[in-house]
Amino acid sequence: MAEIQGKVSVSEAKRNLRAQPCTLVIFGGSGDLASRKLIPAVYNLLLDGALPPDYAVIGVGRHQMSDTEFHASLREGIVKHSRQPLREDRWKEFTSRLFYLAGEFDDAGTFQELKARLEKIERQLILPGHRIFYLAIPPTSIASTSQGLHQAGLVQPANNSAPFSRVIVEKPIGRDLASAQQINSTLSKVFDESQIFRIDHYLGKETVQNLLVLRFANGIFEPLWNHKYIDHVQITVCEEEGVGTRAAYYEEAGALRDMVQNHILQLLCLVAMEPPWSLDPDVVRNTRLEVLRSLRPITGADVNTYTVRAQYSPAVIKGVEVPGYRREQRVRPDSTTETFVALKVFVDNWRWAGVPFYLRTGKRMPKRTTEIAVQFRHIPQILFNADLASPLEPNLLALRIQPEEGFSFRIISKLPGSKVQIHPVNMDFQYGTAYGAASPEAYERLLLDVMAGDATLFMRRDAVEASWEWVTGILEGWQKHGTKWLPEYSAGSWGPVEADRLIEEEQRRWRMP
Ligand code: BG6
C-alpha cells in the first residue's frame, strides 16, 4: 500500500459542512432502489460512524407491511447489496430507527398519517425535525407527492430558522425538455430551488470526484488540457447485464435518455469544465453548466453523421443462450428502443475547439466498465517515431471509474537492453491498493451531502434542462431522419460496426477498456 505522504487537507469551502441530525423519508420505500441502494447506504454510513447519531428513516410505500416485515425485507437487500457484510451485533440498533408506513401517494390521508408518525418518532428519538424527503418514485407521482407534503404542512420554507425540509429527486426527470420543465415547475411550487437535490449517482462515485482533484490539484495536467495537446476524449460506460426486469421503464427510455442525458453528460462536464474560481456549490455548478451550453447541437439529419444507435441481438455467452432485446420479457417484438448509443460530440468553446468527444454506452456488452480516456496528440514523426508504417502510440490518460477505480498513464519507454527498442508502458494507480480500503458507494456520499446541505454534486434545474434541450434535439432528429430498423450487435460484443465506423473515419479507434 502506498504511504500517504504529507498532510491530508480539506478544502476550505467544505470544512464547516456536517451532516445534521434528521429524518429521512423514502417515498418508494418498498421499492427496488430503496432495498438495493438507499437502505444499504444508510447501513454502511452507520457502520462507518459517518451518520449523525440522531436520525430516523421512514419508508413510505404502497405495499402493506409492518415495521418488522419491512426490516426483514431490507435485511435481504443488505445481505445481497451492502458494501460491508451484515453484522448481527449492529442489526438491532439499525432497525430501531427504521420505520414503515403504507399508503398511496395521491391520498391526502397518507400525508396526514405521515405527519403524525413523524412527530411521534421525532419526539421519541428527540430529533430536531429536520426532514429529507427522498422521491424514489416514478415521475408521474412527483406532483401528487410534493402537493401532498405541502398540503399536510410538512414542508418548511427555505432560509428561515425552522428545521430544514429538503427533497431528493431521482431520475428520470422527464423524457424530453418539455416534460423535464413540467416536473421542475411542479417541484418549484412546493420547494425552493435551494431545497431540491436532483440526484445523479455518477457524481457521487469516488473516481468521478477525483477527476476534479486530479485536474485542479496537480500542476502537470491543466497546461495540457486543451485542443493544443489533446487529440480526443472517449467516455465509455458499458454494462454486462441486459435490460433485466426493468423493461417497462427501459422501453420508454433507451440508452440515450437512460445514461447519456444524465450520467455521461455529467462525466463530460467534469472533463471539459473550466477551473471554477471556488468550490462553492453554485460556482462549481455554473462551470459545469457552461459545458452543457457549449455542446454543439446535433439536430435534423446530422443525427445520421454524429450518432449511432443499436439493439443487442441473441448470442451464446459463456455457454448460455442470451435473448436479443426484442425477445426480452415485456419488450415489444417490434421495439425500436436503443440499447446502445455512440456519439461524436463537440464542445464549441476556446479550450476544446475541434476536439471530438466520443461517447458510448450499452447494455449486454462484454463487461461492466466505465472509463474516461484522454488521448494526447501524436508526436512529430521524427526521431523515435520516424517509422511511418507503425507510428508510436500517443500518450493516454485513462481514468477508470468502475469496477476497478484508478487511473493509468501511457508513456513510451525504452525496453532494457543494448538496442534502442521502445515500447508503451502504463503507469498505474489503483485506489484499492493505494489506500487499502473500498471506496464508499455513491449513494452513501450523496446522502451525507444532503444531510449537510451541500448541493455541489447535485443537478440544478438549469443544468437538467440544458442537457434535456441538447438530448431532445437528437431524439427529434432520430424520429424524423432515423432509420426504422436499428443496427444490431451480438449480445456480449462491443457494439455494432456502425459505431466503429463513427470513430474510424478519422483514423481513431475505440479502446477496449
Ligand atoms: C441507472 C440506469 O441510472 O444507472 C441503469 O437507469 C444503469 O439502466 C445504472 O444500469 C448504472 O449504474 P452503475 O452505478 O451500476 O453504473
Side-chain angles (χ1 to χ4, degrees):
M1 196 194 307
E3 194 188 334
I4 299 175
Q5 294 174 352
K7 77 178 187 348
V8 176
S9 64
V10 179
S11 74
E12 202 52 51
K14 308 286 172 197
R15 240 186 257 280
N16 298 325
L17 290 174
R18 277 242 165 77
Q20 302 290 310
C22 60
T23 310
L24 174 66
V25 180
I26 305 175
F27 289 92
S30 54
D32 197 46
L33 187 74
S35 75
R36 275 191 314 115
K37 297 286 185 191
L38 306 182
I39 299 292
V42 178
Y43 179 70
N44 281 291
L45 289 172
L46 173 77
L47 293 192
D48 287 349
L51 270 188
D54 300 319
Y55 76 93
V57 179
I58 307 183
V60 185
R62 295 201 167 102
H63 290 290
Q64 286 294 335
M65 261 194 283
S66 66
D67 285 347
T68 319
E69 286 165 331
F70 183 49
H71 299 161
S73 74
L74 297 179
R75 196 182 161 96
E76 218 175 284
I78 287 182
V79 169
K80 272 201 205 143
H81 304 291
S82 166
R83 175 168 63 82
Q84 304 178 70
L86 185 106
R87 280 181 49 181
E88 293 299 345
D89 59 329
R90 305 294 298 274
W91 186 246
K92 211 163 160 209
E93 172 195 353
F94 180 57
T95 51
S96 67
R97 287 171 179 269
L98 218 54
F99 308 90
Y100 186 76
L101 174 72
E104 295 293 330
F105 306 144
D106 54 2
D107 173 2
T110 305
F111 297 91
Q112 288 305 336
E113 259 186 75
L114 176 62
K115 187 175 186 192
R117 195 79 193 273
L118 270 166
E119 284 166 0
K120 187 170 161 209
I121 291 168
E122 287 169 349
R123 230 182 3 257
Q124 272 172 359
L125 297 177
I126 321 178
L127 298 177
H130 295 312
R131 290 164 188 168
I132 298 173
F133 303 106
Y134 199 124
L135 308 189
I137 51 179
T140 42
S141 301
I142 290 180
S144 65
T145 307
S146 47
Q147 276 306 320
L149 286 169
H150 173 64
Q151 279 157 7
L154 285 167
V155 182
Q156 301 291 340
N159 299 324
N160 73 355
S161 51
F164 68 67
S165 304
R166 295 178 183 146
V167 64
I168 307 180
V169 191
E170 262 297 333
K171 60 171 283 244
I173 300 181
R175 57 186 323 278
D176 54 18
L177 177 61
S179 52
Q181 284 169 330
Q182 198 181 3
I183 291 174
N184 282 330
S185 308
T186 305
L187 285 167
S188 71
K189 286 188 190 128
V190 175
F191 297 97
D192 182 75
E193 182 62 28
S194 65
Q195 297 173 300
I196 305 175
F197 291 73
R198 298 176 190 81
I199 204 161
D200 182 324
H201 77 280
Y202 266 58
L203 287 177
K205 290 184 191 271
E206 190 67 32
T207 353
V208 173
Q209 292 168 51
N210 195 34
L211 189 52
L212 287 195
V213 178
L214 200 73
R215 282 191 60 193
F216 302 129
N218 292 292
I220 59 167
F221 297 116
E222 203 44 31
L224 307 178
W225 212 257
N226 58 57
H227 67 103
K228 287 190 206 144
Y229 298 99
I230 291 178
D231 178 75
H232 75 277
V233 177
Q234 294 186 22
I235 303 181
T236 298
V237 184
C238 292
E239 294 186 89
E240 199 174 349
E241 298 288 306
V243 70
T245 51
R246 296 168 70 231
Y249 151 76
Y250 199 84
E251 267 289 84
E252 297 304 315
L256 185 73
R257 290 186 176 95
D258 187 45
M259 296 297 287
V260 178
Q261 181 272 330
N262 35 60
H263 310 322
I264 296 188
L265 284 186
Q266 283 309 305
L267 296 182
L268 171 66
C269 287
L270 294 173
V271 177
M273 70 195 261
E274 295 302 313
W277 62 267
S278 94
L279 289 178
D280 175 85
D282 273 324
V283 175
V284 177
R285 298 198 293 177
N286 286 344
T287 15
R288 290 207 307 256
L289 176 65
E290 280 169 19
V291 178
L292 295 172
R293 296 231 160 109
S294 313
L295 290 177
R296 186 184 299 171
I298 303 177
T299 51
D302 278 350
V303 289
N304 296 323
T305 312
Y306 295 102
T307 76
V308 168
R309 49 189 181 141
Q311 274 178 344
Y312 57 83
S313 58
V316 177
I317 304 176
K318 294 180 196 143
V320 179
E321 271 186 41
V322 169
Y325 178 65
R326 292 200 297 269
R327 301 298 287 273
E328 297 273 19
Q329 272 182 16
R330 305 181 70 184
V331 171
R332 290 184 296 269
D334 60 350
S335 167
T336 55
T337 300
E338 79 285 356
T339 60
F340 172 97
V341 65
L343 305 109
K344 179 174 162 187
V345 173
F346 289 93
V347 177
D348 277 341
N349 62 17
W350 195 280
R351 181 187 287 267
W352 296 111
V355 178
F357 286 73
Y358 295 98
L359 318 179
R360 72 180 156 160
T361 181
K363 299 228 179 253
R364 279 265 185 254
M365 300 200 51
K367 58 177 183 177
R368 175 175 184 251
T369 179
T370 298
E371 185 199 78
I372 300 171
V374 179
Q375 181 167 317
F376 291 86
R377 283 188 181 277
H378 287 269
I379 57 164
Q381 294 210 298
I382 52 169
L383 303 178
F384 301 112
N385 195 25
D387 181 359
L388 298 187
S390 59
L392 288 177
E393 302 249 31
N395 297 126
L396 183 127
L397 179 66
L399 303 148
R400 294 187 305 270
I401 313 283
Q402 59 188 20
E404 296 90 28
E405 301 180 312
F407 56 86
S408 65
F409 189 45
R410 184 172 70 202
I411 54 169
I412 303 295
S413 171
K414 179 182 168 305
L415 287 179
S418 51
K419 280 196 202 152
V420 181
Q421 282 183 307
I422 44 184
H423 195 68
V425 288
N426 281 331
M427 293 170 67
D428 210 42
F429 168 85
Q430 286 182 20
Y431 251 61
T433 41
Y435 298 123
S439 306
E441 287 275 325
Y443 280 97
E444 296 174 32
R445 161 72 196 250
L446 295 172
L447 278 177
L448 274 190
D449 281 359
V450 182
M451 292 178 187
D454 182 350
T456 314
L457 300 176
F458 293 82
M459 303 289 299
R460 225 169 40 194
R461 175 178 185 160
D462 47 9
V464 168
E465 293 181 6
S467 72
W468 269 122
E469 187 174 352
W470 186 79
V471 162
T472 302
I474 299 175
L475 291 168
E476 288 173 357
W478 281 348
Q479 212 165 34
K480 260 199 171 156
H481 300 273
T483 48
K484 162 101 174 93
W485 293 105
L486 304 189
E488 293 188 332
Y489 59 103
S490 293
S493 75
W494 284 103
V497 293
E498 287 79 355
D500 295 338
R501 283 190 209 125
L502 180 81
I503 190 166
E504 282 168 7
E505 63 193 13
E506 291 176 15
Q507 321 305 320
R508 300 182 176 111
R509 261 178 299 132
W510 291 113
R511 272 174 52 79
M512 297 291 166

